[in-house]
Amino acid sequence: MATQFTRMLAGRNTAVVLASLGAGTLATGYLLTDSTAAAERRMLYPPSADFPDLRKHNNCMAASLTPAIYAHLRDKTTPNNWTLNQSIQTGVDNPGHPFIKTVGMVAGDEETYEVFSEIFDPVIKDRHNGYDPRTMKHPTDLDSSKITSGVFDERYVLSSRVRTGRSIRGLSLPPACSRAERREVERVAVMALSGLKGDLAGRYYSLGDMNEREQQQLIDEHFLFDKPVSPLLMSAGMARDWPDARGIWHNNQKNFLIWINEEDHTRIISMEKGGNMKRVFERFCRGLKQVEQLIHERGWEFMWNERLGYILTCPSNLGTGLRAGVHVRLPNLSKDPRFSKILENLRLQKRGTGGVDTAATGDTFDISNNDRLGKSEVELVQLVVDGVNYLIDCEKRLERGQDIKIPTPLAQFRR
Amino acid sequence: MPFGNTHNKLKMNYSSDQEFPDLTKHNNHMAKILTPEIYSNLRDKETPSGFTLDDVIQTGIDNPGHPFIMTVGCVAGDEETYEVFKELLDPVIEDRHGGYKPSDKHKTDINPDNLQGGDDLDSNYVLSSRVRTGRSVRGFCLPPHCSRGERRAIEDLSIQSLDVLDGDLKGTYYALKNMTDEEQQQLIDDHFLFDKPVSPLLLASGMARDWPDGRGIWHNEGKTFLVWVNEEDHLRVISMQKGGNMKEVFNRFCTGLTKIESLFKDRGHEFMWNEHLGYVLTCPSNLGTGLRAGVHVKIPNLSKHESFGEVLKRLRLQKRGTGGVDTAAVGGVFDISNADRLGFSEVELVQMVVDGVRLMVDMEKRLEAGQAIDDLMPEQK
């Protein structure tokens, strides 16, 4: 865990040291460059002149941002000079959809969540079903041995996958990072990954240096990520300098995969065909722990703290950042009008087989956990295991002409 | 306000070489000119409003360009950008504007009486005539960098000034965010409505932030004089009408512009202008006059002729499709306009278009009649 490491301080800058000291030191933030020009601008344009027009907006940021909060925070910056306006730009530019509530803000660095906590805390609470960062603690648990019944009926479950993200402490996040910082993330990650052995040994493909053949191979394997086109990501500045310092690492067995510098510093994915979620999660945990150990040896660590768990670019991915899911065939259940309610009570979500914002093809759905924060990794994967087993049971019953029941809703947080 | 990694302090912990962008696959003016040395000299500088070199060049890094089309690859965030980053922008300007030197002076001439002819283009061929330019309001940051407060202030100022216009220039302002469906459809049918930019060139520079806040369209009742507020520049001013009477279009253009300028001055604001760069706009390609005078002209025969490209080049004209920049021609109808912006006055540029299009229509008539056009080939202007 982040608290148990040996730090090599040679060459680290003060921001890293401050970040590791924790929240309180940075809560007050720093004032913008106090040049005369900047001071004049502040006078000419008080916060009320700059307050965004959010009347047609439907996202978590727009629901929580008030003129008063904006006025308190507009002129503050994190130690790296990231501002509130930069955090909320994506939410201002993307009013949202009546049915889909996006988050509408991003972090530029670890300190963002502290300096701008006045807006981030209510947004986190809104997005994470009442998790209150001011009073609650997030549990981290990567002990995969605790998972039970984690092998699904392969007549229904076609594939299993677990993903999360990790950020490297001391380097700015994708909306804010400079080219050199992004290249440093790549260097640190690739160096660590090159130390993986056995079934985890693999290689790195830099997006910029890839040849056509490699590219086609990675597309065929469904590994390749492309330059973001979603306006949500573009407005947040994450696609700058593409494809500089972006790449994909995967093991030789092609079931453990890392994306570098896409929406987060790193996205870690464990996947395989079939229904052995337990094995997928075991490899996931083992791989994550080894990568963490390898970066520790070089004096780096992941961004993590007690209140928010693992720190990622989008507040929706805080905590575990974990999405555990399956591609599962549910031809009968998916036509049953109770399907959505069953999913809701099991705290699961459905997506199309192309991932977020895609439609299902045929009767095959991507089913995964809704929650990210407030429950540990083990709890979430167990929830998916139990939930998918329940769905398969429903499917089998409907096949046999039997009736199904809507399960009682699962509890929110136990802490 | 700062965009992207504008004020990222951690980047100064890295050397200039570590930060230098990878431009090996790029084809734009910025990529041709930016060297590690220039980058190193300029990377810790900022304009008084906080615009940095990385802000200037981001759009050029994110859009490597096309082997055939040479884009500029940089933008200004404020008037001072052209000073603080002259080491990069002067050579970019020289490259883009046909050798215009840092010591050259640009002349401004918006006196329509100085235009010869232009009321005589054959309307059987010239379907419509149009002149556009841009203006920036001094003291405000430009679209890539301005805050919401500034953008709204520019909008307010524009509305106040345009409201005073009378006679054939009297008109109405339509704010993009308050438009009714009916108004929107009308403006689309009139070919007036500008939409949120989709071009990655513009998006990467931050110009579309906060859309549609502070953006709008003003036009006169006759629908021949139009102002875009806060699109790619603070103001884009357009005079247009059907047919070939470019002189009338230019008259209205100059009268309208002059009036607007004096109305802004009444409110204590002037346009960004200097002796060397003329009118200062967001994209270096629009410096000087920022003027594009053009016609939609039917030249199905000429456009297929092997010398078409050469004719355009010698006349200092360029062709576009009838949808504007980056569109294709439809039915032999081309948008023909001046290629230059800087180093020639407004009158000189419109004169080139008037004379050039007149010649091109003559050539088209010859080709229609099955005759040659060799004797009509112009000298290089």
Side-chain angles (χ1 to χ4, degrees), chain A residues 142 160-164 255-257 267-272 277-282 284-285 288 321-326 369 377 381:
Chain A
L142 288 162
S160 309
R161 180 183 188 268
V162 181
R163 70 87 158 150
T164 188
N255 52 27
F256 189 64
L257 169 69
R267 284 286 180 96
I268 294 110
I269 301 152
S270 171
M271 59 201 261
E272 61 184 63
M277 179 61 90
K278 188 166 166 82
R279 186 166 63 203
V280 166
F281 187 52
E282 183 278 327
F284 176 83
C285 296
L288 263 179
L322 185 135
R323 192 171 93 86
V326 297
N369 52 296
E377 289 82 353
V381 173

PDB file of all heavy atoms in Angstrom, chain A residues 142 160-164 255-257 267-272 277-282 284-285 288 321-326 369 377 381:
ATOM      1  N   LEU A 142      -7.204  -6.121  -2.459  1.00  0.00           N
ATOM      2  CA  LEU A 142      -6.850  -6.807  -3.710  1.00  0.00           C
ATOM      3  C   LEU A 142      -6.476  -8.262  -3.436  1.00  0.00           C
ATOM      4  O   LEU A 142      -5.606  -8.824  -4.093  1.00  0.00           O
ATOM      5  CB  LEU A 142      -5.692  -6.066  -4.401  1.00  0.00           C
ATOM      6  CG  LEU A 142      -6.072  -4.722  -5.034  1.00  0.00           C
ATOM      7  CD1 LEU A 142      -4.834  -3.868  -5.302  1.00  0.00           C
ATOM      8  CD2 LEU A 142      -6.828  -4.933  -6.337  1.00  0.00           C
ATOM      9  N   SER A 160     -14.725 -12.583 -19.805  1.00  0.00           N
ATOM     10  CA  SER A 160     -14.666 -11.915 -18.499  1.00  0.00           C
ATOM     11  C   SER A 160     -13.509 -10.934 -18.471  1.00  0.00           C
ATOM     12  O   SER A 160     -12.457 -11.189 -19.060  1.00  0.00           O
ATOM     13  CB  SER A 160     -14.444 -12.948 -17.388  1.00  0.00           C
ATOM     14  OG  SER A 160     -15.381 -13.996 -17.485  1.00  0.00           O
ATOM     15  N   ARG A 161     -13.740  -9.824 -17.777  1.00  0.00           N
ATOM     16  CA  ARG A 161     -12.740  -8.748 -17.836  1.00  0.00           C
ATOM     17  C   ARG A 161     -12.784  -7.902 -16.579  1.00  0.00           C
ATOM     18  O   ARG A 161     -13.855  -7.642 -16.035  1.00  0.00           O
ATOM     19  CB  ARG A 161     -13.079  -7.886 -19.048  1.00  0.00           C
ATOM     20  CG  ARG A 161     -12.206  -6.693 -19.346  1.00  0.00           C
ATOM     21  CD  ARG A 161     -12.807  -5.962 -20.556  1.00  0.00           C
ATOM     22  NE  ARG A 161     -11.999  -4.893 -21.086  1.00  0.00           N
ATOM     23  CZ  ARG A 161     -12.084  -3.604 -20.733  1.00  0.00           C
ATOM     24  NH1 ARG A 161     -12.934  -3.227 -19.802  1.00  0.00           N
ATOM     25  NH2 ARG A 161     -11.318  -2.697 -21.304  1.00  0.00           N
ATOM     26  N   VAL A 162     -11.617  -7.482 -16.111  1.00  0.00           N
ATOM     27  CA  VAL A 162     -11.553  -6.521 -15.005  1.00  0.00           C
ATOM     28  C   VAL A 162     -10.604  -5.412 -15.408  1.00  0.00           C
ATOM     29  O   VAL A 162      -9.510  -5.687 -15.896  1.00  0.00           O
ATOM     30  CB  VAL A 162     -11.044  -7.166 -13.699  1.00  0.00           C
ATOM     31  CG1 VAL A 162     -11.008  -6.134 -12.573  1.00  0.00           C
ATOM     32  CG2 VAL A 162     -11.905  -8.348 -13.298  1.00  0.00           C
ATOM     33  N   ARG A 163     -10.993  -4.160 -15.213  1.00  0.00           N
ATOM     34  CA  ARG A 163     -10.110  -3.045 -15.518  1.00  0.00           C
ATOM     35  C   ARG A 163     -10.086  -2.052 -14.385  1.00  0.00           C
ATOM     36  O   ARG A 163     -11.026  -1.936 -13.613  1.00  0.00           O
ATOM     37  CB  ARG A 163     -10.499  -2.357 -16.825  1.00  0.00           C
ATOM     38  CG  ARG A 163     -11.809  -1.575 -16.760  1.00  0.00           C
ATOM     39  CD  ARG A 163     -11.631  -0.138 -16.266  1.00  0.00           C
ATOM     40  NE  ARG A 163     -12.746   0.729 -16.678  1.00  0.00           N
ATOM     41  CZ  ARG A 163     -13.188   1.786 -16.000  1.00  0.00           C
ATOM     42  NH1 ARG A 163     -12.624   2.142 -14.858  1.00  0.00           N
ATOM     43  NH2 ARG A 163     -14.199   2.494 -16.467  1.00  0.00           N
ATOM     44  N   THR A 164      -8.973  -1.356 -14.282  1.00  0.00           N
ATOM     45  CA  THR A 164      -8.900  -0.221 -13.388  1.00  0.00           C
ATOM     46  C   THR A 164      -7.894   0.770 -13.955  1.00  0.00           C
ATOM     47  O   THR A 164      -7.383   0.584 -15.055  1.00  0.00           O
ATOM     48  CB  THR A 164      -8.516  -0.623 -11.955  1.00  0.00           C
ATOM     49  OG1 THR A 164      -8.657   0.517 -11.116  1.00  0.00           O
ATOM     50  CG2 THR A 164      -7.074  -1.106 -11.883  1.00  0.00           C
ATOM     51  N   ASN A 255      -3.512 -11.725 -22.130  1.00  0.00           N
ATOM     52  CA  ASN A 255      -4.640 -11.585 -21.212  1.00  0.00           C
ATOM     53  C   ASN A 255      -4.387 -10.583 -20.100  1.00  0.00           C
ATOM     54  O   ASN A 255      -5.161 -10.481 -19.144  1.00  0.00           O
ATOM     55  CB  ASN A 255      -5.053 -12.959 -20.643  1.00  0.00           C
ATOM     56  CG  ASN A 255      -3.887 -13.712 -20.049  1.00  0.00           C
ATOM     57  OD1 ASN A 255      -2.898 -13.101 -19.594  1.00  0.00           O
ATOM     58  ND2 ASN A 255      -3.976 -15.030 -20.039  1.00  0.00           N
ATOM     59  N   PHE A 256      -3.302  -9.817 -20.235  1.00  0.00           N
ATOM     60  CA  PHE A 256      -3.024  -8.745 -19.271  1.00  0.00           C
ATOM     61  C   PHE A 256      -2.485  -7.568 -20.057  1.00  0.00           C
ATOM     62  O   PHE A 256      -1.472  -7.688 -20.759  1.00  0.00           O
ATOM     63  CB  PHE A 256      -2.004  -9.240 -18.234  1.00  0.00           C
ATOM     64  CG  PHE A 256      -1.804  -8.298 -17.083  1.00  0.00           C
ATOM     65  CD1 PHE A 256      -2.851  -8.015 -16.197  1.00  0.00           C
ATOM     66  CD2 PHE A 256      -0.571  -7.700 -16.863  1.00  0.00           C
ATOM     67  CE1 PHE A 256      -2.668  -7.146 -15.125  1.00  0.00           C
ATOM     68  CE2 PHE A 256      -0.379  -6.832 -15.788  1.00  0.00           C
ATOM     69  CZ  PHE A 256      -1.424  -6.556 -14.915  1.00  0.00           C
ATOM     70  N   LEU A 257      -3.153  -6.455 -19.944  1.00  0.00           N
ATOM     71  CA  LEU A 257      -2.943  -5.365 -20.899  1.00  0.00           C
ATOM     72  C   LEU A 257      -2.906  -4.022 -20.181  1.00  0.00           C
ATOM     73  O   LEU A 257      -3.682  -3.795 -19.249  1.00  0.00           O
ATOM     74  CB  LEU A 257      -4.136  -5.423 -21.852  1.00  0.00           C
ATOM     75  CG  LEU A 257      -4.464  -4.346 -22.835  1.00  0.00           C
ATOM     76  CD1 LEU A 257      -3.416  -4.304 -23.920  1.00  0.00           C
ATOM     77  CD2 LEU A 257      -5.814  -4.688 -23.470  1.00  0.00           C
ATOM     78  N   ARG A 267      -4.188   2.409 -17.604  1.00  0.00           N
ATOM     79  CA  ARG A 267      -5.378   1.616 -17.418  1.00  0.00           C
ATOM     80  C   ARG A 267      -4.899   0.167 -17.463  1.00  0.00           C
ATOM     81  O   ARG A 267      -4.141  -0.198 -18.369  1.00  0.00           O
ATOM     82  CB  ARG A 267      -6.390   1.854 -18.540  1.00  0.00           C
ATOM     83  CG  ARG A 267      -7.140   3.161 -18.423  1.00  0.00           C
ATOM     84  CD  ARG A 267      -8.181   3.099 -17.331  1.00  0.00           C
ATOM     85  NE  ARG A 267      -8.938   4.337 -17.183  1.00  0.00           N
ATOM     86  CZ  ARG A 267     -10.128   4.559 -17.752  1.00  0.00           C
ATOM     87  NH1 ARG A 267     -10.683   3.636 -18.506  1.00  0.00           N
ATOM     88  NH2 ARG A 267     -10.746   5.703 -17.549  1.00  0.00           N
ATOM     89  N   ILE A 268      -5.314  -0.600 -16.474  1.00  0.00           N
ATOM     90  CA  ILE A 268      -4.834  -1.983 -16.377  1.00  0.00           C
ATOM     91  C   ILE A 268      -6.009  -2.907 -16.614  1.00  0.00           C
ATOM     92  O   ILE A 268      -7.062  -2.751 -15.991  1.00  0.00           O
ATOM     93  CB  ILE A 268      -4.226  -2.232 -14.977  1.00  0.00           C
ATOM     94  CG1 ILE A 268      -2.970  -1.379 -14.835  1.00  0.00           C
ATOM     95  CG2 ILE A 268      -3.864  -3.692 -14.801  1.00  0.00           C
ATOM     96  CD1 ILE A 268      -3.099  -0.238 -13.879  1.00  0.00           C
ATOM     97  N   ILE A 269      -5.835  -3.851 -17.497  1.00  0.00           N
ATOM     98  CA  ILE A 269      -6.932  -4.712 -17.911  1.00  0.00           C
ATOM     99  C   ILE A 269      -6.498  -6.170 -17.877  1.00  0.00           C
ATOM    100  O   ILE A 269      -5.446  -6.521 -18.403  1.00  0.00           O
ATOM    101  CB  ILE A 269      -7.348  -4.380 -19.358  1.00  0.00           C
ATOM    102  CG1 ILE A 269      -7.777  -2.913 -19.453  1.00  0.00           C
ATOM    103  CG2 ILE A 269      -8.474  -5.293 -19.822  1.00  0.00           C
ATOM    104  CD1 ILE A 269      -7.564  -2.307 -20.802  1.00  0.00           C
ATOM    105  N   SER A 270      -7.334  -6.990 -17.232  1.00  0.00           N
ATOM    106  CA  SER A 270      -7.115  -8.431 -17.260  1.00  0.00           C
ATOM    107  C   SER A 270      -8.350  -9.030 -17.908  1.00  0.00           C
ATOM    108  O   SER A 270      -9.469  -8.666 -17.536  1.00  0.00           O
ATOM    109  CB  SER A 270      -6.943  -8.957 -15.840  1.00  0.00           C
ATOM    110  OG  SER A 270      -6.938 -10.371 -15.833  1.00  0.00           O
ATOM    111  N   MET A 271      -8.147  -9.890 -18.903  1.00  0.00           N
ATOM    112  CA  MET A 271      -9.322 -10.409 -19.595  1.00  0.00           C
ATOM    113  C   MET A 271      -9.032 -11.762 -20.206  1.00  0.00           C
ATOM    114  O   MET A 271      -7.884 -12.108 -20.463  1.00  0.00           O
ATOM    115  CB  MET A 271      -9.750  -9.439 -20.696  1.00  0.00           C
ATOM    116  CG  MET A 271      -8.699  -9.164 -21.728  1.00  0.00           C
ATOM    117  SD  MET A 271      -9.014  -7.605 -22.600  1.00  0.00           S
ATOM    118  CE  MET A 271      -9.762  -8.169 -24.082  1.00  0.00           C
ATOM    119  N   GLU A 272     -10.076 -12.531 -20.436  1.00  0.00           N
ATOM    120  CA  GLU A 272      -9.937 -13.784 -21.173  1.00  0.00           C
ATOM    121  C   GLU A 272     -11.303 -14.224 -21.663  1.00  0.00           C
ATOM    122  O   GLU A 272     -12.330 -13.784 -21.120  1.00  0.00           O
ATOM    123  CB  GLU A 272      -9.265 -14.865 -20.335  1.00  0.00           C
ATOM    124  CG  GLU A 272      -9.979 -15.262 -19.072  1.00  0.00           C
ATOM    125  CD  GLU A 272      -9.202 -16.288 -18.244  1.00  0.00           C
ATOM    126  OE1 GLU A 272      -8.085 -15.979 -17.762  1.00  0.00           O
ATOM    127  OE2 GLU A 272      -9.711 -17.402 -18.070  1.00  0.00           O
ATOM    128  N   MET A 277     -13.955 -15.742 -14.077  1.00  0.00           N
ATOM    129  CA  MET A 277     -13.722 -14.414 -13.506  1.00  0.00           C
ATOM    130  C   MET A 277     -12.718 -14.485 -12.357  1.00  0.00           C
ATOM    131  O   MET A 277     -11.938 -13.570 -12.145  1.00  0.00           O
ATOM    132  CB  MET A 277     -15.045 -13.812 -13.036  1.00  0.00           C
ATOM    133  CG  MET A 277     -14.914 -12.436 -12.411  1.00  0.00           C
ATOM    134  SD  MET A 277     -14.253 -11.184 -13.541  1.00  0.00           S
ATOM    135  CE  MET A 277     -15.757 -10.538 -14.279  1.00  0.00           C
ATOM    136  N   LYS A 278     -12.748 -15.580 -11.620  1.00  0.00           N
ATOM    137  CA  LYS A 278     -11.826 -15.694 -10.493  1.00  0.00           C
ATOM    138  C   LYS A 278     -10.368 -15.627 -10.969  1.00  0.00           C
ATOM    139  O   LYS A 278      -9.548 -14.904 -10.396  1.00  0.00           O
ATOM    140  CB  LYS A 278     -12.069 -16.995  -9.719  1.00  0.00           C
ATOM    141  CG  LYS A 278     -11.244 -17.061  -8.421  1.00  0.00           C
ATOM    142  CD  LYS A 278     -11.727 -18.169  -7.498  1.00  0.00           C
ATOM    143  CE  LYS A 278     -10.703 -18.439  -6.392  1.00  0.00           C
ATOM    144  NZ  LYS A 278     -10.821 -17.502  -5.270  1.00  0.00           N
ATOM    145  N   ARG A 279     -10.106 -16.340 -12.063  1.00  0.00           N
ATOM    146  CA  ARG A 279      -8.735 -16.343 -12.580  1.00  0.00           C
ATOM    147  C   ARG A 279      -8.365 -14.970 -13.137  1.00  0.00           C
ATOM    148  O   ARG A 279      -7.243 -14.498 -12.961  1.00  0.00           O
ATOM    149  CB  ARG A 279      -8.596 -17.420 -13.658  1.00  0.00           C
ATOM    150  CG  ARG A 279      -7.156 -17.604 -14.148  1.00  0.00           C
ATOM    151  CD  ARG A 279      -6.988 -18.882 -14.936  1.00  0.00           C
ATOM    152  NE  ARG A 279      -7.783 -18.892 -16.163  1.00  0.00           N
ATOM    153  CZ  ARG A 279      -8.157 -20.014 -16.791  1.00  0.00           C
ATOM    154  NH1 ARG A 279      -7.831 -21.195 -16.299  1.00  0.00           N
ATOM    155  NH2 ARG A 279      -8.874 -19.946 -17.896  1.00  0.00           N
ATOM    156  N   VAL A 280      -9.323 -14.355 -13.813  1.00  0.00           N
ATOM    157  CA  VAL A 280      -9.091 -13.013 -14.360  1.00  0.00           C
ATOM    158  C   VAL A 280      -8.731 -12.049 -13.231  1.00  0.00           C
ATOM    159  O   VAL A 280      -7.782 -11.259 -13.337  1.00  0.00           O
ATOM    160  CB  VAL A 280     -10.348 -12.519 -15.122  1.00  0.00           C
ATOM    161  CG1 VAL A 280     -10.272 -11.033 -15.411  1.00  0.00           C
ATOM    162  CG2 VAL A 280     -10.519 -13.298 -16.421  1.00  0.00           C
ATOM    163  N   PHE A 281      -9.482 -12.132 -12.143  1.00  0.00           N
ATOM    164  CA  PHE A 281      -9.244 -11.226 -11.024  1.00  0.00           C
ATOM    165  C   PHE A 281      -7.941 -11.560 -10.307  1.00  0.00           C
ATOM    166  O   PHE A 281      -7.224 -10.674  -9.834  1.00  0.00           O
ATOM    167  CB  PHE A 281     -10.435 -11.276 -10.054  1.00  0.00           C
ATOM    168  CG  PHE A 281     -10.379 -10.253  -8.955  1.00  0.00           C
ATOM    169  CD1 PHE A 281     -10.183  -8.902  -9.231  1.00  0.00           C
ATOM    170  CD2 PHE A 281     -10.527 -10.633  -7.617  1.00  0.00           C
ATOM    171  CE1 PHE A 281     -10.125  -7.951  -8.211  1.00  0.00           C
ATOM    172  CE2 PHE A 281     -10.485  -9.685  -6.590  1.00  0.00           C
ATOM    173  CZ  PHE A 281     -10.287  -8.344  -6.888  1.00  0.00           C
ATOM    174  N   GLU A 282      -7.613 -12.828 -10.224  1.00  0.00           N
ATOM    175  CA  GLU A 282      -6.365 -13.245  -9.581  1.00  0.00           C
ATOM    176  C   GLU A 282      -5.164 -12.680 -10.342  1.00  0.00           C
ATOM    177  O   GLU A 282      -4.242 -12.133  -9.737  1.00  0.00           O
ATOM    178  CB  GLU A 282      -6.335 -14.788  -9.539  1.00  0.00           C
ATOM    179  CG  GLU A 282      -5.119 -15.388  -8.840  1.00  0.00           C
ATOM    180  CD  GLU A 282      -3.885 -15.475  -9.740  1.00  0.00           C
ATOM    181  OE1 GLU A 282      -4.048 -15.688 -10.968  1.00  0.00           O
ATOM    182  OE2 GLU A 282      -2.762 -15.306  -9.214  1.00  0.00           O
ATOM    183  N   PHE A 284      -5.247 -10.119 -12.328  1.00  0.00           N
ATOM    184  CA  PHE A 284      -5.375  -8.669 -12.172  1.00  0.00           C
ATOM    185  C   PHE A 284      -4.651  -8.208 -10.902  1.00  0.00           C
ATOM    186  O   PHE A 284      -3.801  -7.310 -10.935  1.00  0.00           O
ATOM    187  CB  PHE A 284      -6.867  -8.341 -12.105  1.00  0.00           C
ATOM    188  CG  PHE A 284      -7.231  -6.908 -11.848  1.00  0.00           C
ATOM    189  CD1 PHE A 284      -7.273  -5.990 -12.887  1.00  0.00           C
ATOM    190  CD2 PHE A 284      -7.581  -6.486 -10.569  1.00  0.00           C
ATOM    191  CE1 PHE A 284      -7.646  -4.664 -12.656  1.00  0.00           C
ATOM    192  CE2 PHE A 284      -7.952  -5.172 -10.333  1.00  0.00           C
ATOM    193  CZ  PHE A 284      -7.987  -4.251 -11.379  1.00  0.00           C
ATOM    194  N   CYS A 285      -4.980  -8.835  -9.784  1.00  0.00           N
ATOM    195  CA  CYS A 285      -4.404  -8.433  -8.496  1.00  0.00           C
ATOM    196  C   CYS A 285      -2.915  -8.693  -8.455  1.00  0.00           C
ATOM    197  O   CYS A 285      -2.136  -7.847  -7.983  1.00  0.00           O
ATOM    198  CB  CYS A 285      -5.094  -9.176  -7.346  1.00  0.00           C
ATOM    199  SG  CYS A 285      -6.833  -8.744  -7.194  1.00  0.00           S
ATOM    200  N   LEU A 288      -1.139  -6.152 -10.727  1.00  0.00           N
ATOM    201  CA  LEU A 288      -1.145  -4.822 -10.122  1.00  0.00           C
ATOM    202  C   LEU A 288      -0.122  -4.721  -9.006  1.00  0.00           C
ATOM    203  O   LEU A 288       0.607  -3.732  -8.901  1.00  0.00           O
ATOM    204  CB  LEU A 288      -2.524  -4.530  -9.531  1.00  0.00           C
ATOM    205  CG  LEU A 288      -3.482  -3.719 -10.390  1.00  0.00           C
ATOM    206  CD1 LEU A 288      -4.801  -3.548  -9.660  1.00  0.00           C
ATOM    207  CD2 LEU A 288      -2.882  -2.364 -10.723  1.00  0.00           C
ATOM    208  N   GLY A 321     -11.655   2.498  -9.031  1.00  0.00           N
ATOM    209  CA  GLY A 321     -11.505   2.693 -10.477  1.00  0.00           C
ATOM    210  C   GLY A 321     -11.853   1.409 -11.206  1.00  0.00           C
ATOM    211  O   GLY A 321     -11.532   1.231 -12.384  1.00  0.00           O
ATOM    212  N   LEU A 322     -12.555   0.512 -10.541  1.00  0.00           N
ATOM    213  CA  LEU A 322     -12.687  -0.845 -11.061  1.00  0.00           C
ATOM    214  C   LEU A 322     -14.003  -1.097 -11.776  1.00  0.00           C
ATOM    215  O   LEU A 322     -15.060  -0.774 -11.270  1.00  0.00           O
ATOM    216  CB  LEU A 322     -12.556  -1.842  -9.903  1.00  0.00           C
ATOM    217  CG  LEU A 322     -12.543  -3.331 -10.281  1.00  0.00           C
ATOM    218  CD1 LEU A 322     -11.448  -4.043  -9.510  1.00  0.00           C
ATOM    219  CD2 LEU A 322     -13.886  -3.986  -9.980  1.00  0.00           C
ATOM    220  N   ARG A 323     -13.887  -1.678 -12.953  1.00  0.00           N
ATOM    221  CA  ARG A 323     -15.068  -2.150 -13.664  1.00  0.00           C
ATOM    222  C   ARG A 323     -14.796  -3.619 -13.977  1.00  0.00           C
ATOM    223  O   ARG A 323     -13.852  -3.937 -14.705  1.00  0.00           O
ATOM    224  CB  ARG A 323     -15.306  -1.362 -14.950  1.00  0.00           C
ATOM    225  CG  ARG A 323     -16.682  -1.628 -15.562  1.00  0.00           C
ATOM    226  CD  ARG A 323     -16.974  -0.651 -16.714  1.00  0.00           C
ATOM    227  NE  ARG A 323     -16.604  -1.174 -18.011  1.00  0.00           N
ATOM    228  CZ  ARG A 323     -17.359  -1.936 -18.785  1.00  0.00           C
ATOM    229  NH1 ARG A 323     -18.557  -2.301 -18.363  1.00  0.00           N
ATOM    230  NH2 ARG A 323     -16.921  -2.352 -19.957  1.00  0.00           N
ATOM    231  N   ALA A 324     -15.588  -4.464 -13.337  1.00  0.00           N
ATOM    232  CA  ALA A 324     -15.469  -5.899 -13.593  1.00  0.00           C
ATOM    233  C   ALA A 324     -16.692  -6.295 -14.395  1.00  0.00           C
ATOM    234  O   ALA A 324     -17.816  -5.963 -14.009  1.00  0.00           O
ATOM    235  CB  ALA A 324     -15.432  -6.674 -12.284  1.00  0.00           C
ATOM    236  N   GLY A 325     -16.490  -6.946 -15.515  1.00  0.00           N
ATOM    237  CA  GLY A 325     -17.657  -7.231 -16.336  1.00  0.00           C
ATOM    238  C   GLY A 325     -17.519  -8.482 -17.171  1.00  0.00           C
ATOM    239  O   GLY A 325     -16.441  -9.058 -17.312  1.00  0.00           O
ATOM    240  N   VAL A 326     -18.652  -8.876 -17.717  1.00  0.00           N
ATOM    241  CA  VAL A 326     -18.698 -10.046 -18.601  1.00  0.00           C
ATOM    242  C   VAL A 326     -19.474  -9.689 -19.849  1.00  0.00           C
ATOM    243  O   VAL A 326     -20.287  -8.755 -19.843  1.00  0.00           O
ATOM    244  CB  VAL A 326     -19.399 -11.238 -17.917  1.00  0.00           C
ATOM    245  CG1 VAL A 326     -18.628 -11.694 -16.691  1.00  0.00           C
ATOM    246  CG2 VAL A 326     -20.837 -10.906 -17.556  1.00  0.00           C
ATOM    247  N   ASN A 369     -20.220  -3.821 -12.779  1.00  0.00           N
ATOM    248  CA  ASN A 369     -20.616  -3.112 -11.566  1.00  0.00           C
ATOM    249  C   ASN A 369     -20.835  -1.630 -11.838  1.00  0.00           C
ATOM    250  O   ASN A 369     -20.114  -1.018 -12.602  1.00  0.00           O
ATOM    251  CB  ASN A 369     -19.547  -3.273 -10.481  1.00  0.00           C
ATOM    252  CG  ASN A 369     -18.144  -2.907 -10.987  1.00  0.00           C
ATOM    253  OD1 ASN A 369     -17.592  -3.549 -11.888  1.00  0.00           O
ATOM    254  ND2 ASN A 369     -17.582  -1.875 -10.410  1.00  0.00           N
ATOM    255  N   GLU A 377     -12.292  -3.607  -3.969  1.00  0.00           N
ATOM    256  CA  GLU A 377     -12.195  -4.375  -5.211  1.00  0.00           C
ATOM    257  C   GLU A 377     -12.823  -5.756  -5.041  1.00  0.00           C
ATOM    258  O   GLU A 377     -13.597  -6.217  -5.878  1.00  0.00           O
ATOM    259  CB  GLU A 377     -10.719  -4.542  -5.628  1.00  0.00           C
ATOM    260  CG  GLU A 377     -10.045  -3.266  -6.128  1.00  0.00           C
ATOM    261  CD  GLU A 377      -9.529  -2.353  -5.012  1.00  0.00           C
ATOM    262  OE1 GLU A 377      -9.814  -2.642  -3.818  1.00  0.00           O
ATOM    263  OE2 GLU A 377      -8.849  -1.363  -5.331  1.00  0.00           O
ATOM    264  N   VAL A 381     -16.046  -7.174  -7.149  1.00  0.00           N
ATOM    265  CA  VAL A 381     -15.964  -8.341  -8.025  1.00  0.00           C
ATOM    266  C   VAL A 381     -16.927  -9.424  -7.528  1.00  0.00           C
ATOM    267  O   VAL A 381     -17.618 -10.066  -8.333  1.00  0.00           O
ATOM    268  CB  VAL A 381     -14.516  -8.862  -8.120  1.00  0.00           C
ATOM    269  CG1 VAL A 381     -14.459 -10.177  -8.897  1.00  0.00           C
ATOM    270  CG2 VAL A 381     -13.635  -7.820  -8.801  1.00  0.00           C
TER     271      VAL A 381
END
